[in-house]
Amino acid sequence: MFMYEMPTRLFFGKDCLNGAGKDLKKLGQKALIVTGRHSAKINGSQKAVTEALKSAGMTWVLFDQIENNPSIKTVRKAAEFGKAEHVDFVIGIGGGSPMDAAKVIALLCTNDLDDKALFTGPYVRPLPIVTVPTTSGTGSEVTKVGVLTNPAAGTKQSVNTPLIFPVLSYADPSFTESVSTTVTIDTAIDALSHAIEGYMSRKSTPMSDVWAEEAMRFLGPHLTDLEGTIPYAVREDLMYGATAAGIVIAQTGTTLVHGMGYQLTYYKGLSHGRANGLLLPGYMQLMAETMADKVEKVWDILGFSGLEDFTDCLHSLMPERISLTEDEIAAYVRLTLPTGAVASTAYEVTGDVIARLYRSLA
């Protein structure tokens, strides 16, 4: 027995926001647009959204102060702004940070939650959420999770509820054409991590595995195409793969790679995708012990001869190494062990296992 839930209505492809006004208008008259400071203005996504709203005679206000790894303070500020402006729905434009923030902002517009309850609920229905991804990585456009930095916990934490599935999502690969090489690599590896972790998760199902294999089929051939000028056709495959991988983790959640990677982002400043990429080889070595058949299927789909070939590819894309002190490792182990990511990992994860994986990054 398994459950599958995917309530987001997805529009995919170049210029998919054309004519979106008729669907957006069903959500209300006034939108709160949530973005970072620059990229949505540069890549054309913000203009495409406002043109769609304008064509339907709708109004909007803009909150463009979302930082990388958004904070509780920022989403609270945005929610207060949205409530004061009496907005009817929220549109998140950008990579994972603005989209995750938009989900939590929509929740805070209708829920009075202290910092603890923000991550636990219970919740009442948020304002409707619309997502417009401009990177090919997080899959947040189709998930029920919003990740925030939480200083009180000393790490990143997730708001996780089916209530924050986006109602509508518009995935236009052309918005990723101005993305830098570094971000293209980081986000592609994040998407790959989603597909692999979901495939290996204790919570995987026959249906989530279909999407995981689909995502890997579109991401794998391009792992050697992530530098230099990237053709639109490749950008399209990467976004499709990232969205498919998002559908996977909407069903399965993530596993040990994410649970450990959050500490590398929070304390060492690594991007989310880069943290995942550095941890993936060690993780796959563990998975080969417990899920050998699936690991071999991963190599087959991605086009690698095995773990060594896969590791060489990731090290060529992400050559840096991370040396952690024993005190840092002990602290990161304490933060990682209680997470749901550990519970979902198909391996007997102990503190020693986590510590060994952190040490392998040096």
Side-chain angles (χ1 to χ4, degrees), residues 8-11 16-17 20-21 23-28 30-35 45 48-49 52-53 58 88-95 98-106 126-133 140-143 163-171:
T8 303
R9 189 178 185 195
L10 171 69
F11 296 84
C16 62
L17 272 159
D23 289 310
L24 294 172
K25 189 153 187 147
K26 296 173 185 176
L27 305 181
K30 188 175 185 179
L32 170 62
I33 297 175
V34 174
T35 73
S45 55
V49 167
L53 294 170
M58 302 164 69
D88 300 309
F89 62 102
V90 180
I91 305 176
I93 309 174
M99 289 190 290
D100 282 8
K103 295 175 187 177
V104 182
I105 291 162
L127 294 182
I129 301 156
V130 179
T131 48
V132 181
S140 185
E141 63 269 19
V142 289
T143 71
L163 293 172
I164 60 173
F165 266 117
V167 176
L168 298 168
S169 182
Y170 297 89

Side-chain angles (χ1 to χ4, degrees), residues 106-256:
L107 195 66
L108 287 171
C109 282
T110 61
N111 287 263
D112 184 15
L113 303 163
D114 62 25
D115 286 359
K116 181 179 180 181
L118 178 59
F119 295 99
T120 61
Y123 311 110
V124 299
R125 186 168 297 279
L127 294 182
I129 301 156
V130 179
T131 48
V132 181
T134 63
T135 64
S136 299
T138 69
S140 185
E141 63 269 19
V142 289
T143 71
K144 56 183 178 179
V145 174
V147 181
L148 303 176
T149 57
N150 184 359
T155 188
K156 295 169 70 174
Q157 287 189 314
S158 299
V159 177
N160 188 333
T161 168
L163 293 172
I164 60 173
F165 266 117
V167 176
L168 298 168
S169 182
Y170 297 89
D172 184 337
S174 69
F175 296 149
T176 71
E177 291 183 299
S178 61
V179 172
S180 70
T181 295
T182 299
V183 174
T184 299
I185 291 171
D186 290 357
T187 52
I189 298 304
D190 185 25
L192 179 65
S193 185
H194 293 157
I196 290 175
E197 288 180 71
Y199 199 50
M200 302 294 171
S201 173
R202 292 186 189 274
K203 298 178 181 177
S204 68
T205 70
M207 191 167 286
S208 68
D209 282 355
V210 169
W211 283 107
E213 292 179 5
E214 176 82 344
M216 287 187 280
R217 272 194 291 271
F218 277 81
L219 296 168
H222 300 305
L223 294 177
T224 56
D225 298 333
L226 300 177
E227 298 178 278
T229 302
I230 300 176
Y232 173 79
V234 174
R235 295 282 187 189
E236 187 172 70
D237 282 359
L238 292 174
M239 180 164 275
Y240 176 73
T243 300
I247 293 172
V248 175
I249 60 170
Q251 314 306 316
T252 66
T254 54
T255 60
L256 185 59

